[in-house]
Amino acid sequence: MFKTYLSKTSVTDVTISEDNKYLAIAEIDTSGTLIQSNVKVISIEKAIADNANSSIESTFKSETGKLITDLKYQDKNKLVVMYTDEIHSINEGKEEVLLKQADKKVTFSSIELENYCVQIEEQSSGLFTVDTIVNIKDVSNNKEVNYTIKGAIKEIITKGNVIAINLGADVEFINTQGMLIKRYKSNQEVTNITVSESIAGIVYRDKIELINL
């Protein structure tokens, strides 16, 4: 359909809007002493018509030293950008901070949800114990809900409106409203998890179990 070239930067991620009108490119420039990340938004219609620089709708330049790790168009063409320490949204030419690390001990983050982003934070709850706080933010209205788990977690997997939290031998499935969908208990370590809207696959070293959500 068209080609676009980056002469001095490298691509870390791309995403296409739900209406197929825009292509957003996360690019980084490592030629200087500090990394420079940018988000370039291209009109697909204009790119097909002339395949020139006039197809670039806008370019968002991040603060020097910030690294983009993920990029996703969500509801109503709102573009969500995940950096190593913050999650931003870009809508109608305006960039806004959704979640930031600041002084928190953030272990995982994800924007691979429908109209939500999530940040996992560990907080000390005792001399040798921690609680894990799952911070879930609605991208459309900035409302935030929290879900608390006793102990540290191994990883999270996100899909649609489901967040799967791997605790090692147990898995908790919650929705983007911060409500528990299902708690799965096992006698052995979970290697990996795959999630759809209604089914989850629990992967072990020697078998896979499917469960309904």
Side-chain angles (χ1 to χ4, degrees), residues 88-146:
H88 293 197
S89 68
I90 298 174
N91 190 36
E92 297 180 349
K94 296 180 180 179
E95 188 168 4
E96 179 183 5
V97 177
L98 295 173
L99 291 168
K100 56 184 179 180
Q101 186 167 327
D103 297 326
K104 304 174 184 177
K105 184 182 179 181
V106 175
T107 54
F108 301 97
S109 299
S110 177
I111 59 175
E112 298 299 323
L113 291 161
E114 290 184 4
N115 210 38
Y116 288 84
C117 57
V118 60
Q119 189 180 70
I120 309 299
E121 174 191 356
E122 280 189 7
Q123 293 182 353
S124 175
S125 58
L127 188 59
F128 300 108
T129 58
V130 297
D131 287 342
T132 296
I133 313 298
V134 183
N135 301 305
I136 308 165
K137 177 157 280 192
D138 189 326
V139 173
S140 61
N141 57 26
N142 281 337
K143 289 184 178 179
E144 186 174 329
V145 296
N146 300 315

Side-chain angles (χ1 to χ4, degrees), residues 150-183:
K150 297 292 183 183
I153 70 172
K154 184 179 177 181
E155 64 174 341
I156 63 166
I157 307 295
T158 56
K159 177 72 173 181
N161 291 307
V162 178
I163 302 168
I165 304 164
N166 186 351
L167 300 169
D170 300 336
V171 182
E172 292 191 11
F173 297 91
I174 65 173
N175 60 24
T176 48
Q177 304 302 312
M179 305 293 292
L180 180 66
I181 301 171
K182 178 167 285 190
R183 182 178 286 113

Side-chain angles (χ1 to χ4, degrees), residues 162 173 181-182 194-200 211-213:
V162 178
F173 297 91
I181 301 171
K182 178 167 285 190
T194 182
V195 181
S196 72
E197 291 290 342
S198 58
I199 296 176
I211 60 172
N212 289 317
L213 299 179

Side-chain angles (χ1 to χ4, degrees), residues 16-22 72-80 90-92:
I16 298 174
S17 62
E18 292 183 348
D19 58 10
N20 297 318
K21 290 184 177 180
Y22 301 102
K72 182 177 173 61
Y73 269 112
Q74 295 195 2
D75 189 42
K76 298 179 180 178
N77 283 351
K78 183 170 284 190
L79 186 58
V80 183
I90 298 174
N91 190 36
E92 297 180 349

